Amino acid sequence: MQEGKTGIPVQGEIGVPDGAGVFEAGGAEGSEGAATEWRGVPRELLRMRRLMLVLTMPPLAVLTAVLLGWLVTPALAAAGALWLLLAAWCWQVLERNWRSWRYAERADDLLISRGVLWQELTVVPYGRMQLVEVTSGPLERHFGLATVQLRTAASGTDARIPGLEPAEAARLRDQLTELGEARSAGL
């Protein structure tokens, strides 16, 4: 039996599928015995993060090459290429990270799964939610994305789901608020 971030035991083994969309995890069961239906986040989140990578790494490579070549020796200017190698590695890691983000709505709680090397499963009981926020910064709005932020009574157990489509984020906010109120939460 696994334990989530809130320390609440999770029954069964939770499979984390690849790619966006709706998935059913084999062997995972919700509180009422139904299979857990996992949802991925849209691919636009990956595109946004890769754009941020492209906008930051090449300028760092040029700046490093110019400073090392000018201040130390021209031979060290090639060290700026290390930023480009790091960018190539991050390009692949970002996709794996994007695939790891999943969430599932169960009868009594919300599951959020993420992480590649360190996989993390957060269980947010509807009755413990204090606040559900939907935020969208300028870059997220450009890509048509929003983030759902969940706040609980314990500050260390706050959770978020990034990169949702605004309609899905609003639906999730309304659904979580309704379920929280039904369970006498402080929403």
Side-chain angles (χ1 to χ4, degrees):
M1 185 173 292
Q2 293 178 309
E3 283 191 13
K5 189 174 181 179
T6 60
I8 297 173
V10 178
Q11 295 182 354
E13 195 170 308
I14 299 201
V16 179
D18 285 342
V22 177
F23 308 93
E24 293 197 13
E29 294 189 2
S31 301
E32 297 175 354
T36 301
E37 185 177 295
W38 289 93
R39 293 179 181 270
V41 295
R43 192 168 187 85
E44 278 70 28
L45 178 66
L46 176 63
R47 290 188 183 113
M48 181 184 77
R49 290 181 172 172
R50 282 182 169 169
L51 175 66
M52 292 170 52
L53 180 72
V54 168
L55 292 177
T56 56
M57 290 299 195
L60 281 173
V62 171
L63 182 65
T64 301
V66 168
L67 288 177
L68 287 177
W70 181 49
L71 295 175
V72 183
T73 178
L76 283 179
L82 293 176
W83 288 109
L84 299 177
L85 292 175
L86 181 63
W89 180 75
C90 287
W91 187 271
Q92 298 299 320
V93 170
L94 284 175
E95 181 164 356
R96 295 175 69 195
N97 180 272
W98 164 73
R99 289 181 186 277
S100 73
W101 277 95
R102 301 279 175 262
Y103 65 97
E105 299 169 67
R106 298 195 306 183
D108 296 323
D109 48 35
L110 176 74
L111 303 178
I112 302 171
S113 174
R114 64 192 168 279
V116 178
L117 294 176
W118 285 270
Q119 295 179 351
E120 192 171 323
L121 175 66
T122 303
V123 180
V124 183
Y126 298 132
R128 292 192 182 173
M129 287 188 299
Q130 298 290 310
L131 178 69
V132 181
E133 293 178 319
V134 175
T135 60
S136 184
L139 195 56
E140 284 180 312
R141 284 195 306 272
H142 176 75
F143 282 90
L145 299 174
T147 298
V148 173
Q149 179 78 39
L150 307 166
R151 302 211 187 271
T152 60
S155 62
T157 58
D158 292 348
R160 68 183 183 95
I161 306 172
L164 294 175
E165 294 175 354
E168 172 63 8
R171 184 203 65 80
L172 192 58
R173 177 199 60 211
D174 295 342
Q175 178 76 13
L176 295 176
T177 302
E178 183 178 314
L179 289 169
E181 287 174 348
R183 285 159 178 79
S184 300
L187 286 172

